Amino acid sequence: MFDLAIVGAGPAGLAAANYAMRKGLDTVVITEQIGGKSNYEVTFPNVDEYHIIRAKEQVASFRGALEYLEHLYRIARVVRVRPVEEGVVLHLTER
C-alpha cells in the first residue's frame, strides 16, 4: 500500500514524484515511459531552435531523482481504477 500513486511520468508526474519523495510520502509512479511525451521532438516551421523549450532537460533532472530508485516506479499501463474502503486499487498491464 502506498500513500500516493502517480500515473504518468511526464514533466508533471515526475515533478509530483520528486515533491512527494521530499515530503516523505510512500510513493509509486506508474508509467509506460519515463519522460512521457517530452521524449518526442517538436519543431515549428520558421522558428529557430533556441526559441523552443526543451522538456528533455527538465525531465532529465527529475528522472535522475527517480530512475535509480527502481522500487518507486513501475513500467506499466493503468487499465482500471477500483475504489475500495482503504483508497483505490490500480489494475495494471505490465510492459
Side-chain angles (χ1 to χ4, degrees):
M1 174 96 57
F2 295 96
D3 296 326
L4 176 65
I6 299 170
V7 179
L14 290 173
N18 193 309
Y19 182 80
M21 288 187 307
R22 286 185 294 185
K23 293 297 182 183
L25 295 174
D26 189 13
T27 304
V28 64
V29 177
I30 302 163
T31 185
E32 292 183 56
Q33 182 180 36
I34 294 178
K37 291 181 181 151
S38 69
N39 291 318
Y40 304 143
E41 289 285 327
V42 177
T43 57
F44 299 97
N46 303 318
V47 176
D48 292 331
E49 186 170 336
Y50 65 87
H51 289 284
I52 298 171
I53 298 171
R54 298 265 182 220
K56 284 184 181 182
E57 288 79 17
Q58 180 185 10
V59 167
S61 67
F62 291 134
R63 180 184 297 203
L66 179 67
E67 257 185 345
Y68 76 95
L69 302 170
E70 293 182 5
H71 65 284
L72 292 181
Y73 70 92
R74 307 251 323 253
I75 303 298
R77 174 181 283 216
V78 176
V79 293
R80 182 174 167 219
V81 178
R82 182 171 47 93
V84 294
E85 189 173 312
E86 304 83 29
V88 296
V89 174
L90 301 177
H91 296 267
L92 311 176
T93 56
E94 300 293 327
R95 291 282 168 167

